[in-house]
Amino acid sequence: MITYGKQWIDAEDIEAVSEVLKSDFLTCGPQVDAFEQEFAAPVGAKHAVAVNNATAALHLAMLVAEIGKGDRLVTSPNTFVSSANCAAFVDATPDFCDIDPETYNLCPKALAANWQADTKAVVAVAYAGQSPDMPAIAQIARSHGAVVIEDGCHGIGGGFTVDGKDYKIGGHPWADITTFSFHPVKTITTGEGGILVTDNDEYARRARLLRSHGITRVTEDFTGLGGDSATLQEQGGWYYEMQSLGYNYRITDLQCALGRSQLKKLPGFIDRRRAIVAQYNAAFADLPWLQTPQILQSENVAHISWHLYTVQIDFKALGLSRSEAMQRLREQGVGSQVLYIPVHLQPYYRNQFGYGVGKCPNAETYYEQTLSLPLFPKMTDGDVDTVIRSVNKLAP
Ligand SMILES: Cc1ncc(COP(=O)(O)O)c(C=O)c1O
């Protein structure tokens, strides 16, 4: 079965992880710092804080940006649930703004039109790897004093162009914090894993602290244990203070060694993804019942790292339900996936926040027609042909 996404693990990756198993540090060791630096450098971000998954990174983003009770967070409904759940983790109100019907990304016009006074954060998701209009989103959010969090989980290694200048996701002036995921279907993997990048020194310092229980071992930061703090505060390598409520969101050295090994292959992974997308786009261009992915601006085509290849299909024209079409593909050995069910329609969001059908009509229409086809670098040319042939066979 050709699944919709899959990791690439080779002998170098296995060797990198094995070396860590033979070393002194399985966690909190040198691989973590090295991975953070090697990830941040090509992105162009000042700080990177690696964590155990991107959901944790989004939670930390909320905490360091001080989003909490009484605050509203707006994101796209066309995303994985984490992009919104992070608001609920901190007792803020997750909310949704409709998508642009062409790019399937958060629509700046809808964001501006539906702005509410208590909105303190926008989570801008780079769906499938294509960034939304970040300058427009940042302009709207910042004019109201809200923080911009870029959910770059789909966009590792990707970027976009503004006024002729190229920017990397996570390395541009229109986001305060960017998060990435290293789940196996993502562009590189650490098994599970995530990272938060930011140019903000204080955000990075706080994220590091909260990643590990809010505990500090930095002497200058010690405030003592109360009472006569001069006597109750101890010195020495063994002493630590917990200064705020943190979590265990640490990532292991095993994972970071894998991440470092994967980073070396990232340019090749992206090239292969782009080549497969080009083949699909050419093969499907003339199917009247299928819409290939649309790009916000033509100069961005070269920058998208393509986590997903998602098409819109007129299932009525095919005389098939989506499930029937997926079953037909499966019979040919082709997996597919639905990404995403609009988050505001999930029972939790309907029950807790009263959201429902009609709140984000573009995302709902998009959902009815969406299908993600296999896309991962290990696909052979034969696999790509199989997908193309199987999709063509859906024709009435
Ligand atoms: C857009 C988006 N945001 C956040 C996440 C959460 O990532 P993780 O699984 O690493 O927690 C994902 C993962 O599926 C995602 O696709």
Side-chain angles (χ1 to χ4, degrees):
M1 178 66 71
I2 311 167
T3 52
Y4 88 93
K6 194 177 183 179
Q7 71 276 13
W8 171 307
I9 298 290
D10 62 20
E12 263 178 27
D13 296 320
I14 293 167
E15 176 63 21
V17 176
S18 301
E19 285 305 312
V20 176
L21 282 170
K22 293 181 224 155
S23 78
D24 289 338
F25 292 97
L26 299 189
T27 190
C28 301
Q31 295 294 330
V32 180
D33 291 343
F35 179 50
E36 289 176 345
Q37 283 164 23
E38 288 166 19
F39 189 89
V43 163
K46 194 168 170 194
H47 305 282
V49 182
V51 288
N52 54 350
N53 56 66
T55 306
L58 284 161
H59 185 193
L60 291 181
M62 297 292 99
L63 296 169
V64 302
E66 296 180 354
I67 305 301
K69 204 170 177 59
D71 297 336
R72 184 177 301 273
L73 172 148
V74 177
T75 190
S76 163
N78 184 31
T79 185
F80 187 60
V81 294
S82 303
S83 317
N85 289 356
C86 58
F89 294 163
V90 294
D91 289 330
T93 303
D95 205 345
F96 302 91
C97 163
D98 210 353
I99 59 170
D100 177 302
E102 289 185 349
T103 62
Y104 324 136
N105 268 324
L106 195 140
C107 172
K109 279 194 194 121
L111 181 68
N114 295 292
W115 194 270
Q116 297 191 44
D118 57 354
T119 305
K120 292 289 168 354
V122 175
V123 172
V125 182
Y127 176 75
Q130 178 174 195
S131 289
D133 187 341
M134 291 305 298
I137 289 170
Q139 197 275 325
I140 297 160
R142 288 175 177 164
S143 72
H144 294 281
V147 72
V148 181
I149 293 152
E150 181 180 38
D151 183 337
C153 287
H154 294 189
I156 299 169
F160 53 87
T161 301
V162 175
D163 295 335
K165 196 164 172 229
D166 298 340
Y167 297 92
K168 286 280 183 198
I169 294 178
H172 56 79
W174 301 289
D176 301 294
I177 296 172
T178 303
T179 58
F180 296 96
S181 169
F182 307 125
H183 181 275
V185 295
K186 299 298 194 299
T187 319
I188 61 166
T189 189
T190 59
E192 294 275 2
I195 206 161
L196 173 159
V197 305
T198 182
D199 285 348
N200 184 308
D201 299 342
E202 184 55 15
Y203 284 174
R205 190 189 71 79
R206 297 260 311 138
R208 274 181 210 292
L209 207 61
L210 296 171
R211 166 175 68 177
S212 193
H213 307 284
I215 283 176
T216 180
R217 294 176 190 276
V218 178
T219 311
E220 301 81 64
D221 293 344
F222 291 162
T223 55
L225 302 176
D228 178 359
S229 64
T231 55
L232 285 173
Q233 178 185 320
E234 301 269 5
Q235 297 294 331
W238 58 270
Y239 181 76
Y240 61 87
E241 290 184 1
M242 180 194 138
Q243 297 184 332
S244 44
L245 183 63
Y247 300 83
N248 182 349
Y249 283 168
R250 294 190 304 258
I251 188 167
T252 65
D253 280 56
L254 301 163
Q255 290 166 298
C256 288
L258 178 56
R260 292 179 73 194
S261 178
Q262 291 263 301
L263 272 179
K264 291 187 198 142
K265 293 182 274 270
L266 178 60
F269 287 170
I270 294 175
D271 283 352
R272 179 69 185 139
R273 285 175 177 275
R274 287 183 182 143
I276 297 168
V277 168
Q279 270 178 279
Y280 281 161
N281 282 344
F284 301 144
D286 296 328
L287 297 181
W289 43 270
L290 185 150
Q291 172 64 58
T292 55
Q294 301 181 76
I295 311 299
L296 184 68
Q297 291 165 273
S298 56
E299 66 257 47
N300 282 335
V301 174
H303 299 297
I304 298 173
S305 57
W306 292 109
H307 164 49
L308 300 173
Y309 186 81
T310 297
V311 296
Q312 290 270 287
I313 294 182
D314 182 349
F315 293 103
K316 282 201 192 90
L318 292 182
L320 293 170
S321 71
R322 174 166 47 202
S323 297
E324 286 166 342
M326 290 172 83
Q327 177 57 28
R328 290 247 193 123
L329 292 175
R330 212 174 298 127
E331 284 160 9
Q332 311 283 317
V334 174
S336 57
Q337 188 55 278
V338 177
L339 301 160
Y340 287 99
I341 301 168
V343 181
H344 65 284
L345 300 183
Q346 293 290 356
Y348 170 76
Y349 282 98
R350 288 192 287 106
N351 297 335
Q352 292 291 318
F353 300 98
Y355 303 144
V357 175
K359 179 173 173 62
C360 297
N362 292 342
E364 292 162 25
T365 305
Y366 159 88
Y367 165 62
E368 281 167 22
Q369 305 196 334
T370 194
L371 199 64
S372 293
L373 299 173
L375 180 63
F376 52 94
K378 254 217 155 109
M379 284 179 82
T380 62
D381 289 344
D383 291 337
V384 176
D385 285 345
T386 302
V387 175
I388 292 171
R389 236 181 311 110
S390 307
V391 169
N392 275 307
K393 276 194 196 157
L394 293 174

